Amino acid sequence: LRYALERSLNLPTLYIAQRIGIPAIRRAALNFDLADSIAALPSLALGALDTNLLRLTSAYAALANGGIYVTPRLYTLATDEGGEQLVAPEISERRVANEGPTYVLTNILQGVIERGTGASIRRNGFQGHAAGKTGTSDEGRDAWFVGYTPNLAVGVWVGFDDNARTGLTGGSAAAPIW
């Protein structure tokens, strides 16, 4: 599983998904708030899901946070010119996964950066602790990478607004930007 995930190999991933069960994968994707509606199809295991970069990055941030999902917010604090707090949005968090499995998954996703499809991150000089995953849509229309450190989750998407082909992969285009 580690080797397959590090290198984005589809057949082993589909095999494991069938063993786990597609309904369980669907429930996890819903728990991590990847989309409002998710069909229980085998392609879900490969990331075939209509979502956006904010939702995807927020889901990975929950992995960095030991399985606790924090609802994204536009700002953390607004103050006046004297430094007095005007408003701070409520922090909404909930446990979406147990800490043990998220630790193991994070360890596997560190391998994506060390040996796998996200290795360009190390080649470009990033030295810190990080985990992440690349993704490439069918026909190379979208390339993405979502990575996280113990304190920060960042998602990068490369594509065209009109959904035209880029011919790029997440590892070759989005990971180096990250």
Side-chain angles (χ1 to χ4, degrees), residues 48 61 130 136 163 173:
T136 306
N163 206 27

Side-chain angles (χ1 to χ4, degrees), residues 47-132:
L49 170 70
D50 191 19
T51 191
N52 61 52
L53 190 60
L54 177 61
R55 283 186 138 172
L56 191 60
T57 304
S58 299
Y60 277 82
L63 295 176
N65 205 19
I68 297 173
Y69 180 89
V70 179
T71 302
R73 49 199 188 280
L74 239 66
Y75 59 94
T76 57
L77 178 68
T79 61
D80 65 17
E81 62 277 354
E84 292 294 317
Q85 179 177 319
L86 298 173
V87 66
E90 181 180 322
I91 296 173
S92 173
E93 58 183 48
R94 68 187 192 289
R95 178 156 296 282
V96 295
N98 292 326
E99 194 169 2
T102 59
Y103 175 84
V104 172
L105 183 54
T106 292
N107 183 266
I108 293 170
L109 294 177
Q110 287 171 332
V112 171
I113 292 173
E114 299 302 327
R115 297 172 291 283
T117 56
S120 62
I121 289 167
R122 292 286 187 230
R123 288 193 303 271
N124 284 312
F126 184 81
Q127 299 295 320
H129 294 288

Side-chain angles (χ1 to χ4, degrees), residues 12-54:
T13 303
L14 287 171
Y15 173 77
I16 295 295
Q18 290 293 334
R19 302 267 310 184
I20 294 169
I22 301 303
I25 293 170
R26 178 184 175 272
R27 281 191 304 276
L30 287 168
N31 284 343
F32 278 84
D33 199 30
L34 285 168
D36 293 330
S37 175
I38 300 173
L41 300 171
S43 58
L44 178 60
L46 301 178
L49 170 70
D50 191 19
T51 191
N52 61 52
L53 190 60
L54 177 61

